[in-house]
Amino acid sequence: MMLKFANRSVEQIWVSAIAWAVLVTLAVEKVTLPAQAKEIATLSSTQPFGQTHLNGGSILRLAASEPMKLADRPLLLPGSFISFHPSGKSVVVEDGSLTHLYDPKTGESTGFQGSFKGFSPDGKVMVTQGNGGTRLYDLMGGRVVTLQDAFIQFSPDGKTIVTIGNGGNVTCLYDLKGKKLLTLPGLFRVFALKGQVIGTDDGQVYRLYDRKGRKLADFPGLLSGFSPDGKIFLTREGSRLQLYDLSDRKLATFQGLSGDFSPDGNHVVVSDQHSTRLYDFFGNKLAVFQGTFGSFSPNGQAILTYGGGVHRYDLRGGDSVRFDGERGWFSPDGAVVMTAEGNVIRLYELNGREIAVIQGTFKQFSPDGKAVMTHDGQVFRLYDLKGRELAIFEGSTSESYSRFSLDGKAFITDDLTVTRLYNLSGKALVTFQGRFREVSPDGEVVLTSDGYFDRLYDLQGRELAIFRGQVLGCDWPDAS
């Protein structure tokens, strides 16, 4: 069984430097380690990595043929869970000035000097940062590259890293061997067009560059977005929106609070609190619609606005339909409009005919777009787009979390203390202790937290590992 859930942002909870310091001290002083663990190697930071000295080295690695147990229980590890590896096979645990990659299936843990900053998109390179600068660890080839600049992020293709140089005044790009490729003025802001365009900002002027460092455009304000083909971009400065091409030619100026490109890339929608306007790329106003812009239909041929009800406008002919509600959404297939106001959800056909009225607050559409999940303050309910109730899931408070798996075949909820995994018929498959936090990218491990402990479970409900930090002045409860 495998689950796929969209990634969720992870907050760091507590950090415990003391317990890992004890573990490292044991290794360095050659005190006997547990029977399952052994030291691998001792190498300098310019050689393939293994274990190095604490006063300047980078790694402690322990290997175990089976997960280490304490009194026949899952290994209790100090430090805080930070992230899953992109493969989902290991987790990042941070403890003071050390970052650890821990494999919950094998019990192997590898320590790296510095605080964790990120993985390359393919997961082959890990970045840490601490005393001595930024370190790039080649997890496949066992090499370490050290840079003095502060790490920002990887390029979309994973072949370049972005750093802050010169005290924060410039943006630098390096390859993964540590060779500096570019130095650009200003702070890094964005990669665009699959990493082929770089945006920087010095507080007064926003600049766009190509990957060879050639300036494409500069303008006041902020970058708002690119057209679908990447040839036109929109900027915003206060209530003024401006349209440019990549030859730095200004095409049009609009007044409004927000702007969006139509999915076909031929128009710009500009909106404020009372109206939405449709323009071509020469600044010609083509249509004016009542209300604030909400969204485009999936095929890009209609929009929803809100204010004085929800309105659907056909961009081809200008026909409009009004629906009751404060906010509205198209279903993923574009065949249904759903509106919400307070605790009432309404489903409509595109012509305005009401299909059903549902009590509860809207949570999300199912991935296949054929059902909608609601919450009524006590339980989650799944309805089809005809308004028929399909299943009920526990989740006792308004703070209860919920999420579909990406394949749409499972649903996960929590009610502050317990996380449950269901099939879409409403049958609880597995119960996990603690609030839901994340599912590994490979869909095989669930992370929960109860405020004191982070726990890893497999999909059969077996506890693989427990992580905890140190809270001063607080007695830790038993982890069982």
Side-chain angles (χ1 to χ4, degrees):
M1 182 179 180
M2 182 177 74
L3 295 178
K4 288 286 187 179
F5 286 83
N7 288 334
R8 185 185 184 194
S9 60
V10 180
E11 70 275 10
Q12 184 172 345
I13 303 180
W14 290 279
V15 177
S16 170
I18 296 175
W20 267 112
V22 172
L23 180 58
V24 172
T25 301
L26 290 175
V28 172
E29 294 181 355
K30 307 302 181 185
V31 177
T32 303
L33 293 169
Q36 300 96 327
K38 63 178 182 179
E39 297 175 17
I40 302 298
T42 302
L43 300 164
S44 73
S45 62
T46 57
Q47 297 172 321
F49 57 73
Q51 176 199 344
T52 63
H53 300 293
L54 289 180
N55 60 0
S58 54
I59 293 195
L60 165 72
R61 177 181 292 174
L62 302 177
S65 58
E66 297 179 359
M68 289 183 284
K69 303 282 185 176
L70 298 179
D72 209 23
R73 290 165 54 188
L75 178 62
L76 178 61
L77 296 173
S80 298
F81 174 93
I82 301 298
S83 174
F84 283 102
H85 184 271
S87 69
K89 304 302 182 186
S90 58
V91 298
V92 176
V93 182
E94 190 172 288
D95 185 61
S97 61
L98 290 177
T99 293
H100 304 271
L101 272 182
Y102 173 70
D103 186 331
K105 299 289 181 67
T106 68
E108 180 178 306
S109 180
T110 305
F112 302 82
Q113 188 175 5
S115 299
F116 174 76
K117 291 299 177 183
F119 289 107
S120 60
D122 61 8
K124 294 180 180 180
V125 177
M126 185 178 75
V127 178
T128 69
Q129 194 166 294
N131 293 335
T134 296
R135 294 175 176 84
L136 280 66
Y137 293 99
D138 179 352
L139 300 180
M140 305 298 291
R143 308 295 298 185
V144 182
V145 173
T146 302
L147 304 172
Q148 295 305 310
D149 297 347
F151 174 78
I152 299 297
Q153 70 174 70
F154 283 92
S155 60
D157 63 8
K159 297 179 180 179
T160 306
I161 68 162
V162 181
T163 69
I164 297 176
N166 193 29
N169 296 320
V170 298
T171 295
C172 300
L173 273 69
Y174 292 85
D175 67 18
L176 300 187
K177 296 181 180 179
K179 179 183 177 181
K180 184 179 287 188
L181 305 175
L182 284 178
T183 299
L184 304 173
L187 294 176
F188 173 81
R189 292 302 183 192
V190 69
F191 277 112
L193 303 185
K194 300 181 179 179
Q196 297 308 303
V197 173
I198 305 158
T200 69
D201 179 14
D202 65 6
Q204 295 181 335
V205 178
Y206 201 111
R207 298 178 177 90
L208 297 179
Y209 297 88
D210 66 17
R211 289 297 289 268
K212 294 184 179 180
R214 293 177 297 210
K215 189 173 70 174
L216 302 174
D218 58 23
F219 48 88
L222 299 173
L223 179 68
S224 183
F226 278 88
S227 60
D229 64 4
K231 296 179 180 180
I232 307 293
F233 62 93
L234 193 64
T235 71
R236 180 174 60 84
E237 185 182 19
S239 60
R240 184 176 64 176
L241 298 157
Q242 298 188 97
L243 201 63
Y244 292 84
D245 63 19
L246 288 178
S247 64
D248 207 14
R249 183 174 52 139
K250 186 188 297 184
L251 304 177
T253 299
F254 317 104
Q255 294 297 315
L257 298 178
S258 65
D260 294 271
F261 287 97
S262 60
D264 63 9
N266 294 324
H267 302 96
V268 176
V269 171
V270 176
S271 181
D272 56 30
Q273 294 178 345
H274 304 292
S275 67
T276 298
R277 300 170 294 281
L278 183 70
Y279 295 90
D280 64 19
F281 287 172
F282 300 102
N284 297 312
K285 187 187 299 181
L286 305 178
V288 179
F289 309 112
Q290 179 182 345
T292 301
F293 175 72
S295 64
F296 284 99
S297 62
N299 63 9
Q301 296 177 354
I303 64 169
L304 287 181
T305 67
Y306 59 92
V310 175
H311 302 264
R312 175 187 174 273
Y313 293 96
D314 189 327
L315 298 183
R316 297 166 297 181
D319 293 337
S320 65
V321 178
R322 185 189 179 280
F323 311 95
D324 290 335
E326 293 179 343
R327 295 297 301 265
W329 300 264
F330 286 104
S331 61
D333 63 2
V336 171
V337 170
M338 185 187 71
T339 70
E341 183 172 5
N343 292 321
V344 177
I345 297 169
R346 291 180 170 87
L347 300 174
Y348 292 93
E349 294 180 356
L350 298 184
N351 60 11
R353 188 182 75 83
E354 188 175 85
I355 301 171
V357 178
I358 300 170
Q359 297 298 313
T361 58
F362 170 63
K363 290 299 182 179
Q364 57 197 298
F365 284 103
S366 61
D368 63 5
K370 296 180 179 180
V372 60
M373 188 67 70
T374 70
H375 190 259
D376 62 8
Q378 299 296 322
V379 295
F380 294 95
R381 298 177 188 271
L382 184 67
Y383 295 88
D384 67 17
L385 297 188
K386 299 292 186 183
R388 295 174 295 210
E389 185 177 277
L390 303 176
I392 298 176
F393 311 88
E394 291 187 53
S396 58
T397 76
S398 60
E399 297 180 21
S400 295
Y401 180 80
S402 65
R403 182 175 296 176
F404 283 99
S405 60
L406 292 182
D407 62 8
K409 296 180 180 179
F411 188 71
I412 200 164
T413 73
D414 74 50
D415 60 4
L416 305 185
T417 60
V418 175
T419 294
R420 296 178 177 88
L421 180 68
Y422 295 88
N423 63 22
L424 294 192
S425 297
K427 179 181 178 181
L429 305 175
V430 188
T431 299
F432 311 100
Q433 182 177 345
R435 294 211 67 172
F436 173 74
R437 288 187 62 187
E438 195 171 348
V439 172
S440 60
D442 64 0
E444 296 183 355
V445 177
V446 174
L447 172 72
T448 69
S449 177
D450 62 9
Y452 290 101
F453 299 98
D454 293 338
R455 302 172 188 267
L456 293 178
Y457 293 91
D458 65 18
L459 297 185
Q460 287 70 49
R462 290 188 293 258
E463 202 170 48
L464 302 175
I466 307 171
F467 307 95
R468 74 176 183 183
Q470 181 182 6
V471 181
L472 298 178
C474 177
D475 292 330
W476 284 102
D478 188 82
S480 58

